Amino acid sequence: MLKLIRTDRPWNQYRFAPELIAWRDAVIAEGGARPSMREMVRRNRLIRNHMLSGAWALTDDILMSGEDEVQSLVSLKRRFLCIRWNSPQFFVESGFVLDGYASYIEWPLIPATHAVAMTTTNQRVAVWNLRNYGANGFALGSASGPGLVDHKIRTLQNGVMRASIGNVSANFTLPDNTSVGFSAGSRSGSTTIRGYKDGVRLTDVTGLTLLSGLSTSTFFIGGNNNSGGVSLASPLPCVIPYAAVGAQLTDAQERATYEGVRDAVALMFYGEDEEDDG
């Protein structure tokens, strides 16, 4: 007897990465909605892109917004459950609106405890921001304390992006003067910080003296965790649908990562009445 096998089911068209299946199961275990086929495909493409470029192995964790709050709070690689503080507003797939005053997301990743790709002299932080607002605050930040090891990024203030890595801040002039898009800062060594905007390498900041070490604080999205406690420092009004921490990428890997993240967040949008470069 012949046995007919249906081939029109959508899940026959894709082979999902084991890392994605583990993330899906973690979301369900935390009470989140079972991700739709569209969401699974979107994340699978991003993971595949990161793996093909080699960026996946160099990334310790990724936080990416999804269809509901739990999907958006379970990190993609390490599957940490992040914490919402002070009720940031949630938008499907675009993520949480951090108000630059009180609301933020705590990412329980502690570099000194959980880092695998990051080392004491090799670190990278990256965010995609949907809100065009320039201010003296950080979109993502973890610091052991004032003047000590930190890993944080400011997307725009007075025409520059700032990456603070080690214990030194490096400013990068932006050609488009906007905080919207993909911002990344990294170091590999003790004298130079690299900056990237939308996959393009900006002029390196050299001649620095960077501390070796890893922060002992969790990461905050929408500000900086300056001392390891639940106390928001340098808050920034922003909307972050993607954030990543890990080790420095090559120029080609940064470009490929930008393209992969761009494809994943291309339909996301956050609008407001006014845009302001503080």
Side-chain angles (χ1 to χ4, degrees), residues 18-242:
E19 294 84 354
L20 180 59
I21 299 300
W23 170 82
R24 178 203 65 191
D25 293 346
V27 167
I28 295 170
E30 294 292 351
R34 185 182 184 89
S36 68
M37 175 59 63
R38 177 178 177 274
E39 182 68 18
M40 291 290 284
V41 170
R42 184 171 74 101
R43 289 175 182 264
N44 200 57
R45 287 174 176 165
L46 183 129
I47 292 173
R48 176 176 171 79
N49 173 279
H50 282 43
M51 287 183 171
L52 287 175
S53 72
W56 183 261
L58 295 172
T59 302
D60 278 312
D61 206 4
I62 293 169
L63 194 62
M64 182 171 168
S65 60
E67 298 166 316
D68 70 2
E69 294 188 14
V70 177
Q71 289 181 16
S72 303
L73 292 171
V74 175
S75 65
L76 187 57
K77 189 168 184 179
R78 300 295 293 274
R79 300 180 293 281
F80 287 114
L81 179 62
C82 298
I83 304 167
R84 295 182 310 125
W85 290 99
N86 299 316
S87 304
Q89 187 177 5
F90 175 75
F91 288 89
V92 174
E93 291 187 346
S94 295
F96 297 95
V97 177
L98 294 320
D99 61 15
Y101 172 68
S103 64
Y104 61 100
I105 304 296
E106 183 176 9
W107 191 352
L109 176 68
I110 300 173
T113 302
H114 302 119
V116 176
M118 295 177 85
T119 71
T120 57
T121 58
N122 191 336
Q123 299 128 30
R124 173 180 179 265
V125 289
V127 295
W128 192 290
N129 189 7
L130 296 176
R131 184 176 186 182
N132 190 17
Y133 189 95
N136 182 20
F138 291 99
L140 174 69
S142 169
S144 294
L148 300 178
V149 175
D150 59 6
H151 325 289
K152 53 193 180 184
I153 191 162
R154 175 180 299 153
T155 51
L156 176 68
Q157 184 187 18
N158 298 325
V160 303
M161 178 189 81
R162 171 173 289 188
S164 298
I165 301 176
N167 62 318
V168 177
S169 295
N171 292 329
F172 301 90
T173 301
L174 296 174
D176 53 4
N177 194 39
T178 178
S179 62
V180 173
F182 197 45
S183 302
S186 64
R187 63 165 300 187
S188 177
S190 58
T191 62
T192 302
I193 295 179
R194 291 184 192 172
Y196 294 84
K197 182 63 186 287
D198 292 340
V200 176
R201 186 169 173 175
L202 306 172
T203 302
D204 291 358
V205 178
T206 61
L208 306 174
T209 302
L210 306 176
L211 283 179
S212 297
L214 292 168
S215 171
T216 57
S217 301
T218 58
F219 279 93
F220 287 175
I221 295 176
N224 178 43
N225 185 352
N226 198 45
S227 61
V230 184
S231 178
L232 178 65
S234 302
L236 178 71
C238 57
V239 182
I240 308 296
Y242 173 98

Side-chain angles (χ1 to χ4, degrees), residues 1-5:
M1 177 183 292
L2 294 176
K3 184 177 181 180
L4 297 178
I5 301 175

